[in-house]
Amino acid sequence: MLKKYLQTQQDNFDLMRSRFSQLQQLAEQEQQRSRLLSQHINGMESSEQMACSLSLQNLSGLKGLMHDMAAQQQLRSEAALQEANRQQQACNKQAAYNLAIAQLLEQRQQRQQLKQQRQEQKLQDEIAMQMLQRLPL
C-alpha cells in the first residue's frame, strides 16, 4: 500500500516538475520581453534629433508611455520569476517527501528480510537440534 502511495506521490512530483518547467519558460519569456522593451526605449530618437516642438511633445509622451510599459513588464517578469521559485521550492519539498517514503519502504523491506533470515536460521537450528538428538551416543 505504501508503494502505491509512493507512486502517486512520484506522479504528483512529475506534474510539479512539469509545471516548474513551464513557469521557468514563462519567466524567461517575460524577462526577454522586458529586455527587448528596454532596448527599444534606448533606441528611440533623442530630443536633440527633433526639429519640431510637436515632435518633441509626441516623443516625450511616447517615452513616458514606454517607460510605464517597461515598469509593468518588469513587474510581470518579477512575478513570473517568483512563481517559478515558489514552484521550485514545492518541488524540493515533494522530492524530500518522496525520498523519505522511499527510505521508509527500504527500511521496512530490510526489516522484513532480517525477520525472514532469523526465521530461516531458527528453523535450521531446530532441524540441526533434532538431527543431533537422533544421533546414537
Side-chain angles (χ1 to χ4, degrees):
M1 184 168 163
L2 195 55
K3 284 184 181 182
K4 187 175 181 179
Y5 180 69
L6 177 59
Q7 185 58 48
T8 301
Q9 292 302 312
Q10 187 62 40
D11 292 344
N12 186 29
F13 177 62
D14 292 340
L15 289 173
M16 292 173 76
R17 284 191 314 188
S18 174
R19 176 71 178 140
F20 169 69
S21 178
Q22 292 170 352
L23 288 171
Q24 198 172 30
Q25 289 176 354
L26 178 64
E28 289 171 7
Q29 289 172 352
E30 294 295 341
Q31 288 174 343
Q32 178 66 18
R33 286 184 187 122
S34 185
R35 282 190 298 271
L36 290 173
L37 190 53
S38 292
Q39 288 173 358
H40 183 69
I41 291 170
N42 293 335
M44 292 177 73
E45 292 184 52
S46 64
S47 57
E48 292 85 31
Q49 295 171 333
M50 296 288 169
C52 165
S53 66
L54 183 58
S55 294
L56 284 171
Q57 287 176 343
N58 287 342
L59 179 63
S60 177
L62 183 60
K63 280 189 175 183
L65 290 173
M66 296 295 280
H67 283 292
D68 289 345
M69 285 176 57
Q72 290 175 358
Q73 182 59 43
Q74 184 63 32
L75 291 175
R76 288 179 59 176
S77 178
E78 290 170 3
L81 189 58
Q82 288 174 354
E83 182 64 25
N85 288 339
R86 279 193 291 273
Q87 187 66 27
Q88 176 66 45
Q89 291 172 352
C91 285
N92 291 344
K93 287 180 183 179
Q94 186 66 39
Y97 185 66
N98 289 1
L99 181 61
I101 294 171
Q103 289 173 341
L104 179 64
L105 275 170
E106 186 177 333
Q107 289 173 354
R108 282 186 180 180
Q109 185 178 7
Q110 288 174 351
R111 281 195 304 260
Q112 185 65 27
Q113 287 175 345
L114 184 60
K115 182 179 177 182
Q116 185 178 355
Q117 288 172 351
R118 287 180 182 161
Q119 288 175 343
E120 289 173 2
Q121 185 63 44
K122 183 178 178 182
L123 182 61
Q124 289 175 359
D125 290 347
E126 287 176 8
I127 292 172
M129 287 297 291
Q130 288 176 2
M131 290 179 73
L132 187 61
Q133 289 175 353
R134 291 186 184 162
L135 286 176
L137 294 174

